[in-house]
Short mmCIF file of all heavy atoms in Angstrom, two decimals:
data_model
loop_
_atom_site.label_atom_id
_atom_site.label_comp_id
_atom_site.label_asym_id
_atom_site.label_seq_id
_atom_site.Cartn_x
_atom_site.Cartn_y
_atom_site.Cartn_z
N MET A 835 -0.18 7.29 27.69
CA MET A 835 -1.12 6.50 26.88
C MET A 835 -1.32 7.10 25.51
O MET A 835 -1.36 6.40 24.53
CB MET A 835 -2.46 6.28 27.58
CG MET A 835 -2.39 5.48 28.85
SD MET A 835 -1.99 3.80 28.46
CE MET A 835 -2.03 3.09 30.07
N LEU A 836 -1.54 8.38 25.46
CA LEU A 836 -1.76 9.05 24.21
C LEU A 836 -0.50 8.95 23.30
O LEU A 836 -0.59 8.77 22.07
CB LEU A 836 -2.12 10.50 24.38
CG LEU A 836 -2.43 11.33 23.11
CD1 LEU A 836 -3.57 10.69 22.36
CD2 LEU A 836 -2.75 12.78 23.48
N PHE A 837 0.70 8.98 23.91
CA PHE A 837 1.92 8.84 23.18
C PHE A 837 1.99 7.48 22.48
O PHE A 837 2.38 7.37 21.34
CB PHE A 837 3.13 9.04 24.11
CG PHE A 837 4.41 8.94 23.42
CD1 PHE A 837 4.84 9.95 22.54
CD2 PHE A 837 5.24 7.83 23.59
CE1 PHE A 837 6.09 9.82 21.86
CE2 PHE A 837 6.42 7.74 22.93
CZ PHE A 837 6.86 8.73 22.06
N LYS A 838 1.56 6.43 23.19
CA LYS A 838 1.60 5.07 22.62
C LYS A 838 0.62 5.02 21.44
O LYS A 838 0.97 4.40 20.39
CB LYS A 838 1.18 4.09 23.75
CG LYS A 838 1.29 2.66 23.34
CD LYS A 838 0.94 1.76 24.50
CE LYS A 838 1.04 0.32 24.15
NZ LYS A 838 0.68 -0.55 25.25
N PHE A 839 -0.55 5.59 21.57
CA PHE A 839 -1.52 5.60 20.45
C PHE A 839 -0.96 6.37 19.26
O PHE A 839 -1.07 5.97 18.13
CB PHE A 839 -2.86 6.20 20.97
CG PHE A 839 -3.90 6.26 19.86
CD1 PHE A 839 -4.63 5.14 19.54
CD2 PHE A 839 -4.16 7.48 19.22
CE1 PHE A 839 -5.55 5.23 18.54
CE2 PHE A 839 -5.10 7.54 18.26
CZ PHE A 839 -5.83 6.39 17.89
N ALA A 840 -0.35 7.55 19.58
CA ALA A 840 0.16 8.39 18.49
C ALA A 840 1.29 7.74 17.75
O ALA A 840 1.41 7.81 16.51
CB ALA A 840 0.57 9.75 19.04
N THR A 841 2.20 7.05 18.48
CA THR A 841 3.29 6.38 17.85
C THR A 841 2.82 5.20 16.98
O THR A 841 3.37 4.96 15.92
CB THR A 841 4.36 5.91 18.85
OG1 THR A 841 3.77 5.11 19.82
CG2 THR A 841 5.10 7.09 19.47
N ARG A 842 1.83 4.50 17.47
CA ARG A 842 1.24 3.39 16.68
C ARG A 842 0.64 3.97 15.43
O ARG A 842 0.85 3.42 14.35
CB ARG A 842 0.21 2.63 17.50
CG ARG A 842 -0.43 1.48 16.69
CD ARG A 842 -1.55 0.77 17.43
NE ARG A 842 -1.14 0.33 18.76
CZ ARG A 842 -1.80 0.72 19.86
NH1 ARG A 842 -2.83 1.48 19.82
NH2 ARG A 842 -1.34 0.28 21.02
N PHE A 843 -0.11 5.06 15.53
CA PHE A 843 -0.73 5.67 14.36
C PHE A 843 0.29 6.08 13.33
O PHE A 843 0.21 5.84 12.16
CB PHE A 843 -1.61 6.87 14.77
CG PHE A 843 -2.17 7.62 13.58
CD1 PHE A 843 -3.21 7.11 12.89
CD2 PHE A 843 -1.60 8.83 13.25
CE1 PHE A 843 -3.68 7.86 11.78
CE2 PHE A 843 -2.08 9.56 12.21
CZ PHE A 843 -3.12 9.04 11.46
N MET A 844 1.35 6.76 13.83
CA MET A 844 2.40 7.24 12.87
C MET A 844 3.15 6.07 12.23
O MET A 844 3.51 6.14 11.05
CB MET A 844 3.41 8.14 13.61
CG MET A 844 2.77 9.48 14.04
SD MET A 844 2.10 10.42 12.67
CE MET A 844 3.54 10.74 11.69
N GLY A 845 3.36 5.01 12.93
CA GLY A 845 3.99 3.86 12.35
C GLY A 845 3.16 3.20 11.26
O GLY A 845 3.70 2.86 10.22
N ILE A 846 1.87 3.06 11.59
CA ILE A 846 0.97 2.46 10.52
C ILE A 846 0.87 3.44 9.35
O ILE A 846 0.87 2.96 8.22
CB ILE A 846 -0.38 2.16 11.16
CG1 ILE A 846 -0.27 1.07 12.20
CG2 ILE A 846 -1.40 1.72 10.07
CD1 ILE A 846 -1.51 0.83 13.04
N LEU A 847 0.79 4.72 9.61
CA LEU A 847 0.68 5.71 8.51
C LEU A 847 1.91 5.65 7.62
O LEU A 847 1.79 5.64 6.42
CB LEU A 847 0.48 7.11 9.09
CG LEU A 847 0.41 8.24 8.07
CD1 LEU A 847 -0.81 8.06 7.21
CD2 LEU A 847 0.37 9.59 8.77
N ALA A 848 3.09 5.57 8.23
CA ALA A 848 4.33 5.52 7.44
C ALA A 848 4.35 4.24 6.62
O ALA A 848 4.75 4.23 5.43
CB ALA A 848 5.55 5.58 8.35
N ALA A 849 3.97 3.08 7.16
CA ALA A 849 4.00 1.85 6.45
C ALA A 849 3.03 1.87 5.26
O ALA A 849 3.35 1.44 4.15
CB ALA A 849 3.67 0.71 7.36
N VAL A 850 1.79 2.39 5.52
CA VAL A 850 0.80 2.43 4.44
C VAL A 850 1.26 3.38 3.35
O VAL A 850 1.09 3.14 2.17
CB VAL A 850 -0.60 2.84 5.02
CG1 VAL A 850 -1.57 3.20 3.95
CG2 VAL A 850 -1.13 1.75 5.91
N LEU A 851 1.84 4.50 3.71
CA LEU A 851 2.32 5.48 2.74
C LEU A 851 3.44 4.88 1.88
O LEU A 851 3.38 5.05 0.66
CB LEU A 851 2.81 6.75 3.46
CG LEU A 851 3.21 7.90 2.59
CD1 LEU A 851 2.06 8.36 1.73
CD2 LEU A 851 3.68 9.06 3.46
N ILE A 852 4.36 4.19 2.48
CA ILE A 852 5.42 3.55 1.73
C ILE A 852 4.88 2.49 0.74
O ILE A 852 5.28 2.41 -0.40
CB ILE A 852 6.47 2.95 2.69
CG1 ILE A 852 7.22 4.06 3.37
CG2 ILE A 852 7.42 2.00 1.96
CD1 ILE A 852 8.08 3.58 4.55
N VAL A 853 3.95 1.65 1.24
CA VAL A 853 3.36 0.62 0.37
C VAL A 853 2.61 1.20 -0.81
O VAL A 853 2.81 0.80 -1.98
CB VAL A 853 2.44 -0.31 1.16
CG1 VAL A 853 1.66 -1.17 0.28
CG2 VAL A 853 3.27 -1.14 2.15
N PHE A 854 1.81 2.27 -0.55
CA PHE A 854 1.07 2.88 -1.65
C PHE A 854 2.00 3.62 -2.63
O PHE A 854 1.77 3.55 -3.82
CB PHE A 854 -0.02 3.83 -1.11
CG PHE A 854 -1.33 3.19 -0.81
CD1 PHE A 854 -1.60 2.69 0.47
CD2 PHE A 854 -2.31 3.03 -1.78
CE1 PHE A 854 -2.81 2.12 0.75
CE2 PHE A 854 -3.51 2.45 -1.53
CZ PHE A 854 -3.75 1.96 -0.26
N ALA A 855 2.98 4.27 -2.09
CA ALA A 855 3.95 4.99 -2.95
C ALA A 855 4.68 4.00 -3.86
O ALA A 855 4.86 4.29 -5.06
CB ALA A 855 4.91 5.79 -2.09
N LEU A 856 5.16 2.93 -3.33
CA LEU A 856 5.86 1.92 -4.18
C LEU A 856 4.89 1.29 -5.19
O LEU A 856 5.27 1.06 -6.33
CB LEU A 856 6.48 0.86 -3.24
CG LEU A 856 7.68 1.31 -2.45
CD1 LEU A 856 8.09 0.22 -1.47
CD2 LEU A 856 8.84 1.73 -3.31
N ALA A 857 3.68 1.02 -4.76
CA ALA A 857 2.70 0.43 -5.68
C ALA A 857 2.41 1.40 -6.85
O ALA A 857 2.34 0.97 -8.00
CB ALA A 857 1.41 0.02 -4.95
N ILE A 858 2.17 2.64 -6.51
CA ILE A 858 1.84 3.63 -7.58
C ILE A 858 3.02 3.80 -8.47
O ILE A 858 2.90 3.91 -9.69
CB ILE A 858 1.41 4.96 -6.94
CG1 ILE A 858 0.03 4.79 -6.34
CG2 ILE A 858 1.39 6.08 -7.98
CD1 ILE A 858 -0.45 6.03 -5.54
N HIS A 859 4.23 3.84 -7.94
CA HIS A 859 5.43 4.09 -8.75
C HIS A 859 5.72 2.95 -9.69
O HIS A 859 6.11 3.16 -10.84
CB HIS A 859 6.64 4.35 -7.82
CG HIS A 859 7.88 4.62 -8.51
ND1 HIS A 859 8.13 5.82 -9.17
CD2 HIS A 859 9.00 3.85 -8.79
CE1 HIS A 859 9.30 5.78 -9.77
NE2 HIS A 859 9.88 4.60 -9.54
N PHE A 860 5.62 1.68 -9.22
CA PHE A 860 6.04 0.59 -10.03
C PHE A 860 4.92 -0.12 -10.80
O PHE A 860 5.23 -0.80 -11.77
CB PHE A 860 6.77 -0.45 -9.12
CG PHE A 860 8.07 -0.01 -8.62
CD1 PHE A 860 8.28 0.20 -7.27
CD2 PHE A 860 9.08 0.25 -9.49
CE1 PHE A 860 9.51 0.63 -6.82
CE2 PHE A 860 10.38 0.65 -9.07
CZ PHE A 860 10.55 0.88 -7.73
N LEU A 861 3.68 0.03 -10.40
CA LEU A 861 2.63 -0.72 -11.03
C LEU A 861 1.84 0.09 -12.09
O LEU A 861 1.08 -0.51 -12.87
CB LEU A 861 1.69 -1.29 -9.98
CG LEU A 861 2.26 -2.28 -9.02
CD1 LEU A 861 1.22 -2.70 -8.02
CD2 LEU A 861 2.86 -3.48 -9.73
N PHE A 862 1.98 1.38 -12.10
CA PHE A 862 1.13 2.19 -12.98
C PHE A 862 1.99 3.11 -13.86
O PHE A 862 3.13 3.50 -13.41
CB PHE A 862 0.18 3.05 -12.18
CG PHE A 862 -0.85 2.24 -11.40
CD1 PHE A 862 -0.62 2.00 -10.05
CD2 PHE A 862 -1.99 1.70 -12.01
CE1 PHE A 862 -1.51 1.22 -9.30
CE2 PHE A 862 -2.82 0.95 -11.31
CZ PHE A 862 -2.63 0.69 -9.92
N PRO A 863 1.57 3.47 -15.05
CA PRO A 863 2.34 4.34 -15.88
C PRO A 863 2.45 5.76 -15.27
O PRO A 863 1.57 6.20 -14.48
CB PRO A 863 1.57 4.37 -17.21
CG PRO A 863 0.32 3.64 -16.97
CD PRO A 863 0.33 2.96 -15.69
N ALA A 864 3.45 6.47 -15.67
CA ALA A 864 3.78 7.79 -15.08
C ALA A 864 2.66 8.82 -15.36
O ALA A 864 2.48 9.69 -14.52
CB ALA A 864 5.06 8.32 -15.63
N LYS A 865 1.91 8.64 -16.44
CA LYS A 865 0.91 9.68 -16.75
C LYS A 865 -0.34 9.60 -15.78
O LYS A 865 -1.09 10.52 -15.68
CB LYS A 865 0.43 9.59 -18.21
CG LYS A 865 -0.35 8.37 -18.56
CD LYS A 865 -0.71 8.40 -20.02
CE LYS A 865 -1.70 7.29 -20.38
NZ LYS A 865 -2.13 7.42 -21.72
N PHE A 866 -0.48 8.49 -15.03
CA PHE A 866 -1.59 8.32 -14.10
C PHE A 866 -1.18 8.62 -12.65
O PHE A 866 -1.99 8.53 -11.76
CB PHE A 866 -2.17 6.90 -14.15
CG PHE A 866 -2.79 6.57 -15.49
CD1 PHE A 866 -2.40 5.45 -16.17
CD2 PHE A 866 -3.77 7.43 -16.04
CE1 PHE A 866 -2.99 5.13 -17.39
CE2 PHE A 866 -4.32 7.08 -17.19
CZ PHE A 866 -3.94 5.95 -17.90
N THR A 867 0.07 8.97 -12.41
CA THR A 867 0.60 9.11 -11.02
C THR A 867 -0.20 10.13 -10.24
O THR A 867 -0.61 9.87 -9.11
CB THR A 867 2.08 9.48 -11.07
OG1 THR A 867 2.77 8.48 -11.83
CG2 THR A 867 2.63 9.58 -9.70
N ILE A 868 -0.36 11.32 -10.78
CA ILE A 868 -1.04 12.40 -10.00
C ILE A 868 -2.49 12.02 -9.72
O ILE A 868 -2.98 12.19 -8.59
CB ILE A 868 -1.04 13.72 -10.78
CG1 ILE A 868 0.44 14.05 -11.10
CG2 ILE A 868 -1.77 14.80 -10.02
CD1 ILE A 868 1.08 15.07 -10.27
N ASP A 869 -3.17 11.44 -10.73
CA ASP A 869 -4.53 11.06 -10.56
C ASP A 869 -4.70 9.95 -9.48
O ASP A 869 -5.63 10.00 -8.68
CB ASP A 869 -5.17 10.54 -11.87
CG ASP A 869 -5.18 11.64 -12.91
OD1 ASP A 869 -5.24 12.81 -12.53
OD2 ASP A 869 -5.10 11.23 -14.14
N LEU A 870 -3.79 9.03 -9.47
CA LEU A 870 -3.85 7.95 -8.51
C LEU A 870 -3.53 8.48 -7.08
O LEU A 870 -4.22 8.03 -6.12
CB LEU A 870 -2.85 6.82 -8.85
CG LEU A 870 -3.24 5.98 -10.05
CD1 LEU A 870 -2.07 5.08 -10.43
CD2 LEU A 870 -4.46 5.16 -9.68
N TRP A 871 -2.64 9.43 -6.93
CA TRP A 871 -2.40 9.98 -5.62
C TRP A 871 -3.62 10.67 -5.10
O TRP A 871 -3.96 10.58 -3.91
CB TRP A 871 -1.21 10.95 -5.64
CG TRP A 871 0.08 10.27 -5.46
CD1 TRP A 871 1.10 10.05 -6.40
CD2 TRP A 871 0.61 9.66 -4.25
NE1 TRP A 871 2.09 9.33 -5.86
CE2 TRP A 871 1.84 9.09 -4.55
CE3 TRP A 871 0.06 9.51 -2.95
CZ2 TRP A 871 2.61 8.45 -3.62
CZ3 TRP A 871 0.85 8.84 -2.02
CH2 TRP A 871 2.08 8.33 -2.34
N ILE A 872 -4.32 11.42 -5.98
CA ILE A 872 -5.56 12.08 -5.56
C ILE A 872 -6.61 11.10 -5.11
O ILE A 872 -7.29 11.30 -4.14
CB ILE A 872 -6.07 13.00 -6.67
CG1 ILE A 872 -5.06 14.15 -6.93
CG2 ILE A 872 -7.45 13.48 -6.39
CD1 ILE A 872 -5.35 14.97 -8.19
N ILE A 873 -6.70 9.99 -5.78
CA ILE A 873 -7.70 8.98 -5.48
C ILE A 873 -7.36 8.22 -4.18
O ILE A 873 -8.27 7.95 -3.40
CB ILE A 873 -7.84 7.99 -6.65
CG1 ILE A 873 -8.52 8.74 -7.86
CG2 ILE A 873 -8.70 6.77 -6.25
CD1 ILE A 873 -8.47 7.92 -9.12
N VAL A 874 -6.09 7.91 -3.93
CA VAL A 874 -5.74 7.06 -2.81
C VAL A 874 -5.44 7.81 -1.51
O VAL A 874 -5.28 7.18 -0.46
CB VAL A 874 -4.58 6.11 -3.12
CG1 VAL A 874 -4.92 5.14 -4.26
CG2 VAL A 874 -3.30 6.81 -3.36
N VAL A 875 -5.42 9.14 -1.51
CA VAL A 875 -5.14 9.84 -0.27
C VAL A 875 -6.18 9.55 0.81
O VAL A 875 -5.78 9.30 1.95
CB VAL A 875 -5.02 11.36 -0.55
CG1 VAL A 875 -5.13 12.16 0.73
CG2 VAL A 875 -3.70 11.65 -1.17
N PRO A 876 -7.50 9.46 0.53
CA PRO A 876 -8.40 9.06 1.61
C PRO A 876 -8.14 7.63 2.13
O PRO A 876 -8.28 7.41 3.32
CB PRO A 876 -9.79 9.10 0.95
CG PRO A 876 -9.61 10.08 -0.20
CD PRO A 876 -8.20 9.88 -0.70
N LEU A 877 -7.69 6.73 1.25
CA LEU A 877 -7.33 5.39 1.73
C LEU A 877 -6.09 5.45 2.57
O LEU A 877 -5.99 4.72 3.62
CB LEU A 877 -7.14 4.45 0.56
CG LEU A 877 -8.36 4.19 -0.32
CD1 LEU A 877 -7.95 3.35 -1.53
CD2 LEU A 877 -9.37 3.49 0.51
N ILE A 878 -5.10 6.25 2.14
CA ILE A 878 -3.83 6.29 2.95
C ILE A 878 -4.08 6.86 4.31
O ILE A 878 -3.45 6.43 5.31
CB ILE A 878 -2.77 7.22 2.17
CG1 ILE A 878 -2.34 6.44 0.91
CG2 ILE A 878 -1.64 7.53 3.05
CD1 ILE A 878 -1.49 7.27 0.01
N LEU A 879 -5.00 7.81 4.46
CA LEU A 879 -5.33 8.35 5.74
C LEU A 879 -6.32 7.52 6.54
O LEU A 879 -6.29 7.49 7.75
CB LEU A 879 -5.83 9.82 5.65
CG LEU A 879 -4.81 10.76 5.05
CD1 LEU A 879 -5.51 12.15 4.85
CD2 LEU A 879 -3.64 10.91 5.92
N GLY A 880 -7.21 6.82 5.82
CA GLY A 880 -8.24 6.06 6.47
C GLY A 880 -7.82 4.78 7.11
O GLY A 880 -8.19 4.40 8.25
N PHE A 881 -6.89 4.02 6.46
CA PHE A 881 -6.41 2.77 7.00
C PHE A 881 -5.73 2.98 8.38
O PHE A 881 -6.03 2.22 9.30
CB PHE A 881 -5.46 2.04 6.00
CG PHE A 881 -6.13 1.40 4.81
CD1 PHE A 881 -5.56 1.45 3.59
CD2 PHE A 881 -7.34 0.75 5.00
CE1 PHE A 881 -6.15 0.87 2.50
CE2 PHE A 881 -7.96 0.13 3.89
CZ PHE A 881 -7.38 0.19 2.67
N PRO A 882 -4.76 3.87 8.49
CA PRO A 882 -4.15 4.02 9.82
C PRO A 882 -5.10 4.44 10.91
O PRO A 882 -4.95 3.98 12.05
CB PRO A 882 -3.09 5.10 9.57
CG PRO A 882 -2.83 5.11 8.10
CD PRO A 882 -4.11 4.68 7.51
N ILE A 883 -6.10 5.25 10.60
CA ILE A 883 -7.07 5.67 11.60
C ILE A 883 -7.85 4.45 12.06
O ILE A 883 -8.00 4.26 13.28
CB ILE A 883 -8.01 6.75 11.03
CG1 ILE A 883 -7.22 8.07 10.79
CG2 ILE A 883 -9.17 7.00 11.95
CD1 ILE A 883 -8.01 9.11 10.04
N VAL A 884 -8.39 3.67 11.16
CA VAL A 884 -9.19 2.53 11.53
C VAL A 884 -8.31 1.46 12.27
O VAL A 884 -8.77 0.97 13.32
CB VAL A 884 -9.80 1.87 10.25
CG1 VAL A 884 -10.47 0.55 10.58
CG2 VAL A 884 -10.81 2.84 9.67
N PHE A 885 -7.16 1.14 11.81
CA PHE A 885 -6.34 0.12 12.45
C PHE A 885 -5.85 0.62 13.81
O PHE A 885 -5.82 -0.19 14.71
CB PHE A 885 -5.13 -0.23 11.57
CG PHE A 885 -5.47 -1.06 10.37
CD1 PHE A 885 -4.85 -0.81 9.14
CD2 PHE A 885 -6.41 -2.06 10.41
CE1 PHE A 885 -5.22 -1.57 8.02
CE2 PHE A 885 -6.78 -2.81 9.30
CZ PHE A 885 -6.15 -2.55 8.15
N SER A 886 -5.54 1.88 13.97
CA SER A 886 -5.08 2.36 15.26
C SER A 886 -6.23 2.29 16.31
O SER A 886 -5.97 1.98 17.45
CB SER A 886 -4.56 3.78 15.14
OG SER A 886 -3.41 3.81 14.32
N VAL A 887 -7.37 2.68 15.86
CA VAL A 887 -8.53 2.61 16.80
C VAL A 887 -8.87 1.19 17.13
O VAL A 887 -9.18 0.87 18.30
CB VAL A 887 -9.72 3.39 16.19
CG1 VAL A 887 -10.96 3.15 17.08
CG2 VAL A 887 -9.41 4.87 16.14
N LEU A 888 -8.78 0.26 16.18
CA LEU A 888 -9.13 -1.13 16.48
C LEU A 888 -8.11 -1.75 17.40
O LEU A 888 -8.42 -2.61 18.20
CB LEU A 888 -9.19 -1.95 15.15
CG LEU A 888 -10.42 -1.66 14.23
CD1 LEU A 888 -10.26 -2.43 12.95
CD2 LEU A 888 -11.67 -2.01 14.96
N LEU A 889 -6.80 -1.35 17.29
CA LEU A 889 -5.80 -1.90 18.14
C LEU A 889 -5.66 -1.23 19.48
O LEU A 889 -5.01 -1.78 20.39
CB LEU A 889 -4.44 -1.83 17.40
CG LEU A 889 -4.32 -2.68 16.15
CD1 LEU A 889 -2.99 -2.39 15.47
CD2 LEU A 889 -4.41 -4.15 16.46
N ALA A 890 -6.30 -0.09 19.66
CA ALA A 890 -6.18 0.67 20.87
C ALA A 890 -6.97 0.04 22.04
O ALA A 890 -8.03 -0.60 21.80
CB ALA A 890 -6.67 2.08 20.66
N LYS A 891 -6.45 0.15 23.20
CA LYS A 891 -7.18 -0.27 24.42
C LYS A 891 -8.00 0.85 24.92
O LYS A 891 -7.75 2.05 24.56
CB LYS A 891 -6.14 -0.73 25.45
CG LYS A 891 -5.35 -1.94 25.05
CD LYS A 891 -4.38 -2.34 26.12
CE LYS A 891 -3.73 -3.63 25.73
NZ LYS A 891 -2.45 -3.40 24.98
N ASP A 892 -8.95 0.60 25.77
CA ASP A 892 -9.84 1.60 26.28
C ASP A 892 -9.08 2.70 27.07
O ASP A 892 -9.41 3.86 27.04
CB ASP A 892 -10.87 0.94 27.20
CG ASP A 892 -12.03 1.90 27.55
OD1 ASP A 892 -12.34 2.72 26.68
OD2 ASP A 892 -12.51 1.83 28.70
N GLU A 893 -8.00 2.32 27.76
CA GLU A 893 -7.22 3.26 28.54
C GLU A 893 -6.55 4.31 27.68
O GLU A 893 -6.35 5.44 28.07
CB GLU A 893 -6.18 2.56 29.39
CG GLU A 893 -6.69 1.59 30.42
CD GLU A 893 -6.96 0.23 29.88
OE1 GLU A 893 -6.23 -0.18 28.95
OE2 GLU A 893 -7.92 -0.43 30.34
N GLU A 894 -6.19 3.92 26.43
CA GLU A 894 -5.50 4.84 25.54
C GLU A 894 -6.46 5.88 24.96
O GLU A 894 -6.07 7.00 24.75
CB GLU A 894 -4.90 4.07 24.38
CG GLU A 894 -3.75 3.16 24.78
CD GLU A 894 -3.23 2.35 23.66
OE1 GLU A 894 -3.71 2.48 22.52
OE2 GLU A 894 -2.33 1.47 23.89
N LEU A 895 -7.72 5.49 24.75
CA LEU A 895 -8.67 6.38 24.17
C LEU A 895 -9.44 7.20 25.18
O LEU A 895 -10.01 8.24 24.88
CB LEU A 895 -9.63 5.63 23.27
CG LEU A 895 -9.04 4.88 22.10
CD1 LEU A 895 -10.07 4.10 21.36
CD2 LEU A 895 -8.39 5.84 21.14
N ASN A 896 -9.51 6.75 26.43
CA ASN A 896 -10.29 7.39 27.48
C ASN A 896 -9.39 7.54 28.73
O ASN A 896 -9.65 6.86 29.72
CB ASN A 896 -11.51 6.53 27.77
CG ASN A 896 -12.78 7.34 27.81
OD1 ASN A 896 -12.71 8.55 27.70
ND2 ASN A 896 -13.86 6.64 27.92
N PRO A 897 -8.45 8.44 28.72
CA PRO A 897 -7.52 8.50 29.88
C PRO A 897 -8.12 8.98 31.16
O PRO A 897 -7.61 8.71 32.22
CB PRO A 897 -6.43 9.49 29.35
CG PRO A 897 -7.09 10.28 28.28
CD PRO A 897 -8.12 9.38 27.65
N GLU A 898 -9.27 9.69 31.12
CA GLU A 898 -9.82 10.16 32.40
C GLU A 898 -10.48 9.09 33.22
O GLU A 898 -10.75 9.27 34.40
CB GLU A 898 -10.81 11.34 32.14
CG GLU A 898 -12.03 10.95 31.32
CD GLU A 898 -11.88 11.08 29.86
OE1 GLU A 898 -10.81 11.58 29.43
OE2 GLU A 898 -12.82 10.81 29.12
N THR A 899 -10.72 7.91 32.66
CA THR A 899 -11.32 6.81 33.38
C THR A 899 -10.27 5.97 34.17
O THR A 899 -10.65 5.17 34.98
CB THR A 899 -12.14 5.90 32.46
OG1 THR A 899 -11.26 5.32 31.52
CG2 THR A 899 -13.31 6.65 31.84
N VAL A 900 -9.03 6.20 33.88
CA VAL A 900 -7.97 5.40 34.55
C VAL A 900 -7.71 6.02 35.93
O VAL A 900 -7.63 7.24 36.11
CB VAL A 900 -6.69 5.47 33.69
CG1 VAL A 900 -5.58 4.72 34.44
CG2 VAL A 900 -6.90 4.88 32.37
N ASN A 901 -7.64 5.17 36.95
CA ASN A 901 -7.39 5.65 38.30
C ASN A 901 -5.91 5.64 38.63
O ASN A 901 -5.12 4.92 38.41
CB ASN A 901 -8.11 4.76 39.32
CG ASN A 901 -9.63 4.94 39.20
OD1 ASN A 901 -10.08 6.01 38.73
ND2 ASN A 901 -10.39 3.92 39.54
#
């Protein structure tokens, strides 16, 4: 169960990281790149955490309750 949760989290994290990286690279000038990465790192880490927890079932988050 934990493996399923972890793989879902890593998949969402990779997708969010790719989207943000492409957006920063193509939508903003090069002189703002470092500043934007510093600003969006909490978002890049926060979205996968929230989405993974929202999509998780109770058995994945609480394995000791499963019989």
Side-chain angles (χ1 to χ4, degrees):
M835 294 293 182
L836 183 58
F837 181 72
K838 187 176 180 182
F839 179 79
T841 54
R842 180 184 308 123
F843 173 75
M844 291 304 296
I846 295 171
L847 178 63
V850 169
L851 186 59
I852 290 169
V853 168
F854 273 93
L856 290 173
I858 288 173
H859 181 74
F860 290 115
L861 298 178
F862 297 99
K865 68 179 189 175
F866 296 127
T867 302
I868 304 258
D869 297 331
L870 287 171
W871 274 108
I872 293 169
I873 292 169
V874 299
V875 163
L877 296 174
I878 290 172
L879 296 176
F881 285 142
I883 292 169
V884 171
F885 289 140
S886 295
V887 171
L888 289 175
L889 294 174
K891 296 182 175 88
D892 191 36
E893 297 88 31
E894 294 174 4
L895 298 176
N896 229 353
E898 64 269 358
T899 61
V900 177
N901 292 333

